[in-house]
Amino acid sequence: MSDLSAQAVSTWLKDYADVITENANYLTDLDRQIGDADHGSNMSRGMSAVAALDPASFADASGLLKKAGMTLVSTVGGASGPLYGTFFLRLGTTLTTDGELSAEKFAAAMKAGLDGIVARGKASQGDKTLVDSLTPAVEAAQDAAAAGKSLAESLQAASAAADKGRDATVEMIARRGRASYLGERSRGHQDPGATSMALLIDSAARCLA
Ligand code: ADP
Ligand code: MG
């Protein structure tokens, strides 16, 4: 069992900011293949601003998550900023009470985050976007919670499912975002946003359980 607090969320967000810094060139290289070579720099700019938020200035996890979402919306110019921003805003509006973070609470928050991303970006599964790593992660988290698994087991299942979803984007043809301009030629390349989303869930599995 793990406790949900602004401090716990801050540990996750700071870890993810470090992971993004380490992978910025990789994410930008993926975006160079099917986009405009800025996904790494977009995510770095946004997550550096998020990592600078002081958890002590927030009353609870919800407040920090909402501020992180607003920070991403306002600092990231690309498509990914509003989408990741919406994800964290929805997490913040779902995880309203601190205390124990259970597998059920985590699954419900992830589902709300996914719904927010879909409402905003209109992508379906199979469109070769970050939805393709997040959707299987949400389903794995929901299945784990329903099966009475621990938060740690649920997070690990979600992370493994996100990695598989990310890998599956290689064979997809992009139907949303800049990569969709390439049509058939987008096939054979891993989606950058699906890659950064899998890294976010991997970070959650290391930090939140
Ligand atoms: P931009 O495309 O504006 O340059 P980024 O390069 O930062 O923004 O992000 C690109 C990623 O955003 C894509 O790899 C894809 O995963 C994701 N993306 C783009 N459009 C959508 C959408 N409508 N719904 C979900 N994800 C999207
Ligand atoms: Mg881009």
Side-chain angles (χ1 to χ4, degrees):
M1 293 298 156
S2 149
D3 276 334
L4 184 65
S5 63
Q7 186 57 56
V9 167
S10 173
T11 300
W12 174 34
L13 295 175
K14 286 182 169 155
D15 177 85
Y16 185 52
D18 289 344
V19 168
I20 285 294
T21 302
E22 286 158 22
N23 286 278
N25 289 336
Y26 170 53
L27 294 170
T28 285
D29 285 345
L30 291 175
D31 196 29
R32 186 170 291 117
Q33 312 295 314
I34 55 170
D36 57 352
D38 65 357
H39 190 55
S41 51
N42 282 342
M43 293 298 292
S44 291
R45 185 173 346 106
M47 287 311 301
S48 300
V50 167
L53 299 171
D54 178 6
S57 57
F58 297 91
D60 52 21
S62 172
L64 174 55
L65 285 164
K66 286 187 208 164
K67 181 68 180 178
M70 289 185 281
T71 301
L72 288 172
V73 171
S74 61
T75 57
V76 182
S80 55
L83 295 169
Y84 273 95
T86 300
F87 180 76
F88 286 113
L89 274 168
R90 290 289 182 103
L91 252 57
T93 51
T94 309
L95 297 170
T96 47
T97 48
D98 283 3
E100 182 199 312
L101 178 60
S102 62
E104 290 79 11
K105 272 194 197 177
F106 175 73
M110 294 262 292
K111 173 74 168 90
L114 170 63
D115 289 348
I117 284 176
V118 170
R120 186 138 197 171
K122 309 278 185 288
S124 306
Q125 221 181 336
D127 285 352
K128 197 180 181 97
T129 72
L130 43 81
V131 166
D132 290 305
S133 48
L134 182 55
T135 303
V138 169
E139 288 168 359
Q142 289 174 324
D143 289 350
K149 299 275 171 64
S150 70
L151 176 64
E153 289 169 319
S154 157
L155 284 161
Q156 277 152 21
S159 175
D163 288 353
K164 277 183 75 176
R166 171 204 61 205
D167 293 346
T169 64
V170 174
E171 289 308 314
M172 294 173 187
I173 296 172
R175 290 199 204 84
R176 290 280 167 192
R178 281 177 197 282
S180 65
Y181 308 154
L182 293 181
E184 270 287 344
R185 281 181 293 135
S186 64
R187 199 197 293 277
H189 302 284
Q190 186 173 305
D191 181 62
T195 307
S196 57
M197 181 56 77
L199 291 170
L200 177 65
I201 297 164
D202 177 63
S203 171
R206 277 183 288 105
C207 300
L208 291 181

